[in-house]
Amino acid sequence: MEKNGKRVLVAMSGGVDSSVAAWLLKEQGYECVGVTMKLFGNEAVGLDKGHPCCTLDDVEDAREVAGRMGIPHYVFNFSNDFEEKVIRRFIDAYERGETPNPCIACNRFLKFGRLHRRARELSCDYIATGHYAQILGDGAGGFRMTKAADLSRDQSYVLYPIPREQLAWTLFPLGGLTKTEVREIARREGFVNARKHDSQDICFVPDGDYLAFMERHTGKTYPEGDIIDQSGKVVGRHRGAAGLTIGQRRGVGVSSSGRIYVCSKCMADNTVTVGPEEALYSTGCIAKDWNWLTAPPTEAFGALAKTRYRQTEQPVTVVPEGDRVRLEFVRPQRAVTPGQAAVVYHESGAVLGGGTIAEAVKGP
């Protein structure tokens, strides 16, 4: 199905993907307006090295590519929004014992929240990003979001919060391409970022040390506490429960003759429970803040679901429960983690909806 209208606001991060997305749209005849969101600098997150995205260097790369294509380029300072909606929520979630995905929060509140409103202010018909996903006609006059053609690059999992009504006004030009094809276009067009590294999963913690970032950013010191086994026996000490994640094995701080994993955390008494791999499996989960990208169902139905970004979809029964959704796994799943997203797919690859895991269900 063709989308009407020609003026599109293209989110240009300074990376190769969003640059090629803008180039493809311009080649298709759209009137493109490039925009880069200024979210933070290294100094704001306490780093003087690493490769975070959305820094001043990225702004300059985006401006250079936009100039090369002959399209206008603007910089929007969303640093206050990023602090409140992404970084603060990230820290709060870890302090509650959860493991959040800040890319999802950024998509929800900034890319498809603030940026979408700015697109309207600039009289743009659409917003476009360099994500690897597809938006297709649903055959009934509406639109649906599906996985990318290149499944190894698919990012539909982190895009589930897009409001259903915004699908008609959203473009993902890279949805049918591979990363190799995208880099080749950038190289051929002489883009300065043709060989630029991919941004980190968590852009503001490029060194991967979440606990150290949280301590730098908040000024807090997260206290050490007991590590206990399944029976409640103290078997070690942790340096901060907030810095450990469900399913983690390395760096836990416990010596054992066999492999042991973080199975749960109790932030109230600052304990971390460890155990064997079989203790990690859950029969289901409850997800909150659910967003449907199809007509909200009223009865349980079968589908496929992911509870981690890199996971292969697994068969589930989806049970709507008001503003929450219960997923019942056909086969028990490993390391289902509060704070992560549960995303439900149709067997065709269409995204049906998603939410934040509030609770893993261990029993039948």
Side-chain angles (χ1 to χ4, degrees), residues 241 264-273:
S264 64
K265 302 189 294 185
C266 179
M267 306 308 286
D269 60 15
N270 195 30
T271 59
V272 173
T273 300

Side-chain angles (χ1 to χ4, degrees), residues 58-345:
D58 295 302
V59 171
E60 290 305 314
D61 287 347
R63 180 178 290 120
E64 198 279 340
V65 171
R68 190 177 186 87
M69 288 191 289
I71 66 173
H73 177 262
Y74 300 95
V75 177
F76 295 156
N77 186 352
F78 287 168
S79 56
N80 289 338
D81 300 86
F82 192 78
E83 167 67 28
E84 176 188 355
K85 299 296 188 181
V86 180
I87 293 180
R88 188 66 251 174
R89 291 169 71 94
F90 172 86
I91 293 172
D92 289 348
Y94 265 106
E95 291 181 343
R96 291 192 302 269
E98 300 173 356
T99 303
N101 187 323
C103 296
I104 291 174
C106 187
N107 286 333
R108 172 182 288 163
F109 297 110
L110 297 184
K111 292 187 177 73
F112 301 98
R114 285 294 308 277
L115 205 56
H116 190 272
R117 293 194 292 274
R118 285 293 184 93
R120 290 290 178 262
E121 294 170 4
L122 291 172
S123 300
C124 292
D125 301 287
Y126 305 114
I127 184 173
T129 72
H131 285 106
Y132 288 83
Q134 300 183 84
I135 295 179
L136 306 172
D138 64 3
F143 294 89
R144 57 192 171 94
M145 182 168 67
T146 72
K147 292 187 288 186
D150 182 355
L151 296 180
S152 69
R153 304 297 303 186
D154 176 57
Q155 294 174 296
S156 60
Y157 175 84
V158 297
L159 294 168
Y160 80 82
I162 298 176
R164 183 184 176 196
E165 63 273 13
Q166 285 188 22
L167 294 180
W169 318 112
T170 302
L171 302 173
F172 295 138
L174 307 188
L177 300 179
T178 66
K179 184 74 173 194
T180 299
E181 291 171 327
V182 168
R183 287 201 182 277
E184 175 56 28
I185 291 171
R187 185 202 61 78
R188 187 186 68 216
E189 296 302 314
F191 291 167
V192 66
N193 52 18
R195 293 180 174 82
K196 191 174 184 177
H197 60 81
D198 290 335
S199 60
Q200 303 291 322
D201 285 345
I202 298 183
C203 58
F204 53 89
V205 195
D207 63 357
D209 191 338
Y210 306 150
L211 190 63
F213 164 76
M214 291 164 59
E215 291 183 335
R216 286 195 306 267
H217 202 74
T218 65
K220 297 179 182 179
T221 298
Y222 294 95
E224 295 183 356
D226 289 335
I227 300 174
I228 60 177
D229 64 15
Q230 301 286 293
S231 68
K233 177 184 176 182
V234 176
V235 294
R237 296 280 290 176
H238 63 74
R239 71 178 186 93
L244 296 173
T245 59
I246 305 301
Q248 181 175 337
R249 181 171 70 88
R250 297 184 183 279
V252 176
V254 177
S255 298
S256 173
S257 58
R259 293 188 174 186
I260 60 170
Y261 302 81
V262 174
C263 296
S264 64
K265 302 189 294 185
C266 179
M267 306 308 286
D269 60 15
N270 195 30
T271 59
V272 173
T273 300
V274 297
E277 185 171 16
E278 53 263 31
L280 291 173
Y281 285 82
S282 302
T283 58
C285 68
I286 306 295
K288 61 184 179 179
D289 300 327
W290 195 269
N291 181 52
W292 288 108
L293 286 175
T294 185
T298 57
E299 298 181 349
F301 64 94
L304 301 172
K306 296 172 67 168
T307 55
R308 298 188 306 278
Y309 182 59
R310 296 297 181 189
Q311 181 187 28
T312 301
E313 295 83 12
Q314 300 295 317
V316 297
T317 297
V318 183
V319 185
E321 297 181 340
D323 61 351
R324 295 193 170 201
V325 167
R326 176 160 48 93
L327 300 184
E328 299 173 351
F329 306 137
V330 172
R331 293 180 297 274
Q333 295 300 305
R334 184 183 187 279
V336 177
T337 306
Q340 290 288 291
V343 180
V344 173
Y345 294 81

